[in-house]
Amino acid sequence: MRKIIRCLVPCLVLLFLYVPILILAVYSFTESTQIGDIKAFTLKNYVTLFTREDLRSMIVGTVLLALGSAVLATLLGTLGAIGSFYSKKRISSAMATVNQIPVINADVVTGFSLCILLVVVFGIGKDTYIPLVLGHVTLCAPFVYLSVIPKLKQMDSSLYEAALDLGARPRTALLRVVIPQILSGMISGFSLAITLSLDDYFIATYTKPATFNTISTYVVNATRGSQTEVKTALWALSTVIFVLVILIVLVMNLNAGAAENRNRKEAKA
Amino acid sequence: MKFSRKTLGIPYAVFLLLFVVAPLVVLFYYAFTNGTGEFSLKNLTDFFSDPNTLGTLFYSLLLAMTTTLVCLLIAYPVAYILATSKMKSKPVIIMIFVMPMWINFSLRITALKEILTLIEGNLAFYPFLNSVIGMTYDFLPFMILPIYNTIVKLDGSLTEAARDLGANERRAFMRVTLPLSMPGIISGISMVFLPAMTNYVVLDMLNNSTFIMGSLIGSYFSAHNWHNGSMIALVLLGIICVFTLLTDRGDEKDARTGGALL
């Protein structure tokens, strides 16, 4: 009895989480425009997804925006973390506090206040993409900062001093000694920035140019409309993203597993 | 200029000042001025005298509390069962629970919407129920993960000691495991409650025409009413601050960072 419950509860929750996505995936291969009625198999949703101009530009735009803002956020956040780590306690704790604001704040408030500052006060047009990119960097950089700081704390500070003693210039010591040690934090900050930017709706709605759409804003607008061609093509998009996520998770797990095996072998040897 | 590691932080410090601090200052300014730029408390009194905005405030509090409670009731048993199971592949299993987080939320809600439409026929009949289901569907992983992380790190010998000292299983759980998993519960609550008060897209997509706090900002935004919009944003910010002070234990600050499992 106990065993059954221990198995049943997680399974039911998994069903709740995955059934909608899976059903949508099945229906994305059929001609039906509504869940429930079974119709013939077709790939036309996938063809539409990759050939319709607005869908394609929306996907490409979302990905480019995510990559661009993640690169900027990683640069800024990492430099900020290094600078704040070596600054006086007062300065570094002030930076850590301000850094926490976008993390805790609701995205609606962040997006709205940025829009007022940049668009209403400074008069920067949304068509320039500047508010949008700045908005996404503001969303992501604090998380990069938070992923890098622990790595700096774990680092052996004498290594940097040793490099200087051995004649390295500070710049070289930073690039050759500090950066390699915080690289894992930078990478996890970067991936986090990508996922945050891809999933964002609110900051984009308040700062994006009228003609530009991210996946989130596009999908939300599409659910208000009644275009069935777009609707079913989005089912296909959801399936494609689902498969991509599974692949990425698999690769990450395999990599982690391989690394673990390697470590174990080295430990034995 | 001499190279110093401290100076590396200057760009980010300037960035934070310009795009995190300055927007909040402007928000304050707009919230307490009227259209001609004069100081005014009208937006504040507007907010607290208009039954619509007050109703929205209570509706969103109610919705957020219900969602958080439902998430907690579902997530705790799952997290507990997974964390205490003897399976070797625990990290993989928890990964499966967290994976939906990486699929764009709007696409996931679209999927849920189709299913709910199939079951209910017309989504307009149960707006509150649908919103709770939608938000639970969206935020559940954020509740499971921190609770799981807390329980999995618990020292199992503490429960064993309680059992050895004569506590029955139920009592050992209530007096040892549950109190020790509080940090995870609290960080889970803070990761669900605040988004549930503001994420109005889920309501929008599920045809719930009722407003929550976030949608008020959205409607003032579409009407270019910056002053009243700022006041709503400020009230929301106040709620967020109070909530964060209440739940902040310092050590769980990176909960949302850990939320990606990366």
Side-chain angles (χ1 to χ4, degrees):
Chain A
M1 181 62 205
R2 221 188 142 81
K3 261 199 174 155
I4 297 175
I5 292 181
R6 281 186 77 95
C7 188
L8 199 64
V9 172
C11 289
L12 282 178
V13 174
L14 273 186
L15 276 184
F16 171 60
L17 288 176
Y18 280 97
V19 159
I21 306 172
L22 290 176
I23 290 187
L24 217 59
V26 171
Y27 275 89
S28 72
F29 289 103
T30 67
E31 294 205 357
S32 47
T33 55
Q34 208 154 16
I35 302 281
D37 47 317
I38 311 274
K39 286 203 180 132
F41 171 87
T42 170
L43 283 175
K44 88 176 190 314
N45 289 327
Y46 290 85
V47 176
T48 316
L49 177 64
F50 292 113
T51 50
R52 231 182 104 127
E53 187 47 40
D54 60 335
L55 283 165
R56 212 172 47 194
S57 67
M58 160 284 272
I59 297 169
V60 173
T62 312
V63 173
L64 285 181
L65 175 68
L67 284 175
S69 33
V71 167
L72 284 175
T74 309
L75 265 176
L76 266 174
T78 308
L79 288 178
I82 297 176
S84 121
F85 184 70
Y86 290 110
S87 298
K88 289 197 193 73
K89 184 90 179 54
R90 243 195 22 235
I91 296 175
S92 68
S93 66
M95 265 177 93
T97 310
V98 178
N99 185 73
Q100 211 55 32
I101 296 176
V103 176
I104 297 167
N105 205 348
D107 294 348
V108 196
V109 180
T110 311
F112 184 77
S113 61
L114 262 173
C115 164
I116 295 194
L117 177 80
L118 297 174
V119 180
V120 182
V121 177
F122 288 154
I124 303 172
K126 288 185 188 174
D127 293 337
T128 60
Y129 289 90
I130 295 175
L132 179 62
V133 174
L134 281 175
H136 273 220
V137 176
T138 312
L139 174 74
C140 303
F143 289 93
V144 178
Y145 178 96
L146 286 177
S147 339
V148 172
I149 283 281
K151 299 290 165 199
L152 283 164
K153 284 184 181 155
Q154 287 163 17
M155 192 175 66
D156 184 350
S157 61
S158 54
L159 288 176
Y160 178 79
E161 314 290 336
L164 292 190
D165 286 348
L166 291 170
R169 281 176 308 161
R171 204 176 303 241
T172 323
L174 190 81
L175 281 176
R176 296 284 194 78
V177 178
V178 177
I179 298 287
Q181 294 197 67
I182 58 172
L183 196 63
S184 63
M186 289 169 66
I187 292 172
S188 67
F190 179 80
S191 353
L192 202 53
I194 297 261
T195 55
L196 283 168
S197 169
L198 287 180
D199 213 42
D200 166 70
Y201 169 82
F202 291 102
I203 293 180
T205 15
Y206 291 115
T207 56
K208 74 181 181 64
T211 52
F212 176 84
N213 264 315
T214 65
I215 293 181
S216 311
T217 60
Y218 189 92
V219 174
V220 172
N221 284 334
T223 50
R224 294 197 184 113
S226 53
Q227 253 187 304
T228 47
E229 191 197 28
V230 170
K231 184 175 115 174
T232 50
L234 289 176
W235 297 357
L237 177 62
S238 149
T239 310
V240 170
I241 294 182
F242 181 53
V243 172
L244 278 179
V245 168
I246 293 179
L247 285 179
I248 293 173
V249 168
L250 273 181
V251 169
M252 269 168 45
N253 265 317
L254 289 179
N255 269 342
E260 206 171 288
N261 275 340
R262 227 177 9 248
N263 287 343
R264 234 179 260 159
K265 270 182 198 154
E266 274 166 18
K268 266 187 197 162
Chain B
M1 193 177 73
K2 194 177 162 295
F3 176 86
S4 151
R5 287 175 291 181
K6 285 180 211 167
T7 53
L8 290 177
I10 292 177
Y12 190 53
V14 172
F15 180 85
L16 286 178
L17 278 180
L18 279 180
F19 303 116
V20 176
V21 179
L24 294 183
V25 174
V26 171
L27 203 62
F28 263 94
Y29 174 79
Y30 271 82
F32 288 105
T33 51
N34 58 22
T36 52
E38 287 163 346
F39 175 79
S40 119
L41 287 175
K42 192 171 168 301
N43 304 319
L44 185 69
T45 48
D46 272 0
F47 180 86
F48 285 103
S49 58
D50 186 347
N52 276 333
T53 51
L54 284 183
T56 308
L57 179 62
F58 286 115
Y59 185 81
S60 32
L61 281 174
L62 185 68
L63 184 63
M65 281 195 272
T66 317
T67 305
T68 313
L69 193 68
V70 171
C71 278
L72 184 61
L73 289 179
I74 299 176
Y76 195 90
V78 172
Y80 180 81
I81 290 172
L82 289 181
T84 53
S85 84
K86 295 188 176 65
M87 280 178 297
K88 267 192 192 150
S89 46
K90 269 194 267 186
V92 178
I93 304 218
I94 194 75
M95 192 71 108
I96 296 175
F97 276 88
V98 175
M99 223 164 57
M101 232 158 62
W102 290 319
I103 303 169
N104 189 294
F105 82 96
S106 60
L107 291 170
R108 273 185 294 141
I109 297 293
T110 312
L112 183 72
K113 184 186 176 182
E114 297 296 331
I115 305 297
L116 286 178
T117 314
L118 180 68
I119 298 172
E120 295 175 12
N122 189 341
L123 289 178
F125 291 144
Y126 312 98
F128 189 80
L129 177 73
N130 288 339
S131 301
V132 173
I133 296 177
M135 290 194 173
T136 307
Y137 184 67
D138 196 4
F139 304 140
L140 191 61
F142 291 102
M143 186 68 99
I144 295 180
L145 196 61
I147 299 181
Y148 169 84
N149 280 337
T150 314
I151 300 182
V152 90
K153 281 187 206 130
L154 285 188
D155 187 350
S157 53
L158 289 174
T159 334
E160 276 169 34
R163 298 296 305 278
D164 285 348
L165 292 169
N168 60 19
E169 199 169 344
R170 190 195 152 92
R171 195 171 153 87
F173 172 78
M174 295 302 284
R175 302 295 286 270
V176 179
T177 313
L178 191 61
L180 285 175
S181 45
M182 273 323 265
I185 295 179
I186 288 175
S187 83
I189 289 178
S190 67
M191 279 160 73
V192 172
F193 185 82
L194 293 175
M197 274 199 69
T198 56
N199 195 330
Y200 60 89
V201 198
V202 177
L203 269 72
D204 256 15
M205 291 180 75
L206 295 175
N207 293 345
N208 182 348
S209 51
T210 328
F211 270 21
I212 55 171
M213 288 299 277
S215 22
L216 278 182
I217 299 184
S219 66
Y220 284 125
F221 173 79
S222 338
H224 293 270
N225 185 342
W226 313 119
H227 299 276
N228 284 83
S230 299
M231 184 45 89
I232 306 287
L234 210 59
V235 172
L236 207 49
L237 198 61
I239 295 174
I240 293 169
C241 286
V242 170
F243 190 80
T244 311
L245 289 176
L246 285 178
T247 55
D248 189 17
R249 293 236 171 148
D251 50 355
E252 285 288 330
K253 264 190 183 157
D254 51 354
R256 202 167 146 187
T257 334
L261 255 191
L262 289 165

